[in-house]
Structures are given as structure tokens and as C-alpha cells.
């Protein structure tokens, strides 16, 4: 399921620095068995699969990542094509943001969204996130 989702053109377009291309079964196994656990242990990131509780179908992914500023984290998320426009990412981001504040003690969470990614920007604004500018060297 993870390999299939990561073949999606939108996921590849918006996350080219995160999702290797082509994305293979070996990439998925490495991420699940080594990268995600190592990130958790080191306090760099908490990666979560977003799945339907009834059938365990992968709907997307969400992560809380450390940034270089104390008390600040970044949330990243993607949704598999079949589950878009169903508020899957919005619900996942909302849950992880609450966890970041209440359990992890963060003061601020950021979403770093490409300026031209209108769907993600709109979803973020509906959750109460506000644009603060474009990072130097980023789009």
C-alpha cells in the first residue's frame, strides 16, 4: 500500500526531497524498519500511518518533526489519491498538532507548504494555520 501511494504524481511533486523516485518495496521496508524507528529514538520525528480503523487501509501519512528552533515542530502529511477531499490529512494534522502541544510541550507547530500547493494551503487555513511568508531558498 505504501509503495503504491508513493507512486502518485501529486505526492512526488510536493515531496520530491522526501519520497525517493522510483519508490520501491526496499524503500518502504527501510523507512518502516529503520528510518522511522531511528527518528523516534533520536527525537527527530514521529511518523504515523493514517489508516481506516475498520479495514486498516492506508489512507495517508503524518509526521511531527523537530526543527532547529526550541519549542517548535513541523508537521508534514500526505494523503493517498483515493482518500483525498475527505479531510483525511486535516484530521490527522489536527490530532498530531494537539499531541504536539499537549503531550510534547511544543509552543508552535508549522506546516511548510509550497506556495503553489493550493489544496494543502486551503486545508491548513481551515485548521487555523496562517501563512507567515516564504522561506529563503524554498518555494
Amino acid at each position: 500500500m505504501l509503495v503504491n501511494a508513493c507512486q502518485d504524481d501529486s505526492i512526488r511533486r510536493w515531496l520530491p526531497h522526501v519520497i525517493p523516485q522510483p519508490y520501491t518495496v526496499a524503500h518502504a521496508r527501510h523507512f518502516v524498519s529503520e528510518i522511522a524507528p531511528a527518528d523516534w529514538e533520536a527525537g527527530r520525528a514521529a511518523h504515523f500511518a493514517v489508516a481506516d480503523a475498520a479495514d486498516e487501509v492506508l489512507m495517508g501519512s503524518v509526521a511531527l518533526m523537530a526543527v532547529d528552533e526550541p519549542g517548535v515542530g513541523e508537521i508534514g502529511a500526505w494523503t493517498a489519491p483515493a482518500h483525498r477531499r475527505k479531510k483525511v490529512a486535516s484530521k490527522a494534522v489536527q490530532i498530531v498538532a494537539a499531541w504536539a502541544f499537549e503531550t510534547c510541550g511544543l509552543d508552535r507547530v508549522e506546516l511548510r507548504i509550497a506556495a503553489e500547493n493550493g489544496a494543502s494551503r486551503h486545508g491548513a487555513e481551515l485548521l487555523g494555520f496562517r501563512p507567515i511568508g516564504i522561506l529563503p531558498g524554498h518555494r
Side-chain angles (χ1 to χ4, degrees):
M1 289 186 281
L2 178 58
V3 174
N4 289 341
C6 290
Q7 304 309 315
D8 176 63
D9 288 338
S10 291
I11 291 172
R12 293 186 326 198
R13 176 182 181 196
W14 301 121
L15 300 170
H17 60 287
V18 177
I19 307 292
Q21 289 305 314
Y23 195 81
T24 66
V25 171
H27 287 112
R29 286 187 179 136
H30 179 67
F31 177 78
V32 171
S33 66
E34 296 180 37
I35 294 174
D39 281 351
W40 177 267
E41 287 295 320
R44 286 186 300 264
H47 302 276
F48 302 98
V50 179
D52 186 313
D55 57 16
E56 298 182 356
V57 168
L58 180 69
M59 298 166 68
S61 176
V62 63
L64 175 63
M65 298 157 286
V67 297
D68 293 333
E69 189 176 340
V72 180
E74 176 187 356
I75 295 176
W78 57 259
T79 305
H83 302 285
R84 293 193 182 130
R85 293 179 177 72
K86 298 177 184 178
K87 301 195 183 297
V88 169
S90 295
K91 290 175 186 175
V93 167
Q94 192 172 30
I95 290 166
V96 171
W99 178 67
F101 291 124
E102 296 164 12
T103 303
C104 301
L106 295 183
D107 299 314
R108 185 175 83 225
V109 292
E110 300 174 345
L111 302 177
R112 297 181 183 185
I113 301 169
E116 60 272 18
N117 187 343
S120 290
R121 289 179 59 209
H122 178 71
E125 289 176 6
L126 289 175
L127 289 173
F129 287 89
R130 296 290 172 247
I132 58 173
I134 297 176
L135 294 170
H138 290 75
R139 30 180 213 127

